[in-house]
Amino acid sequence: MDYFDSAPASDSGLQNGNRMPDMELQAKFNEAIRQREEQEASKLAENKERAKEALENFEAERQTKLRESMQNNREAEQLLMEQLASDIESENPWDRIVSLVDLQTGMSDETLDVSRMRQVLIQLKNSPPSKADE
């Protein structure tokens, strides 16, 4: 009997035995990949939902701040208009000029010394020149 004439009986069993575990491993691997893809898809959907909610909250907050700012600006403008109207009606024109000039004494190094001009404006406001002096 020749050594090469017959095929060993255990060889076909090993091939089938090796293939079955390979197929099982492949199936487990595919299942693990599918589960990871499902987890990734669910996390992605969750993150998109949270991002959408965050954008909606941001937009709502921005609109609220915008409305408040517009209301504050309207009130400030109304106050300014009332003040300007009352200044126009004033008999002393220097009152109007003094109201338009910042007379705070705070000075910085970069500004010019305007203390004399401030004193003159305050003096003219308090005792305006008479019509005969002009």
Side-chain angles (χ1 to χ4, degrees):
M1 169 153 127
D2 192 6
Y3 182 70
F4 297 107
D5 284 340
S6 66
S10 62
D11 186 27
S12 62
L14 285 177
Q15 288 178 351
N16 289 340
N18 285 343
R19 286 185 185 168
M20 289 302 272
D22 287 345
M23 291 174 69
E24 289 175 13
L25 287 175
Q26 185 68 31
K28 287 180 183 179
F29 180 72
N30 288 340
E31 180 64 23
I33 288 175
R34 188 186 60 75
Q35 288 177 353
R36 286 183 187 166
E37 287 174 349
E38 287 176 1
Q39 288 174 352
E40 180 182 344
S42 67
K43 284 187 179 183
L44 181 65
E46 181 183 329
N47 286 342
K48 282 184 178 181
E49 186 64 30
R50 285 193 310 190
K52 184 178 177 183
E53 289 174 8
L55 282 173
E56 289 171 355
N57 290 340
F58 172 77
E59 185 63 26
E61 186 176 316
R62 189 179 76 79
Q63 289 296 328
T64 303
K65 286 182 181 179
L66 183 64
R67 277 189 237 109
E68 288 175 3
S69 175
M70 289 171 61
Q71 183 63 29
N72 290 340
N73 288 344
R74 282 189 205 109
E75 291 171 0
E77 183 179 15
Q78 182 65 28
L79 247 160
L80 179 65
M81 291 305 207
E82 290 172 1
Q83 183 181 8
L84 288 175
S86 68
D87 287 345
I88 289 174
E89 295 170 358
S90 174
E91 293 179 18
N92 187 357
W94 291 104
D95 282 336
R96 187 170 16 148
I97 293 171
V98 169
S99 70
L100 297 174
V101 177
D102 182 22
L103 298 177
Q104 298 297 321
T105 59
M107 285 183 37
S108 68
D109 296 337
E110 299 173 1
T111 61
L112 298 173
D113 184 18
V114 291
S115 59
R116 176 65 184 142
M117 184 174 101
R118 185 180 305 116
Q119 289 172 354
V120 169
L121 286 174
I122 292 173
Q123 181 182 3
L124 286 171
K125 177 188 136 198
N126 292 336
S127 56
S130 64
K131 296 276 184 186
D133 291 342
E134 294 176 357

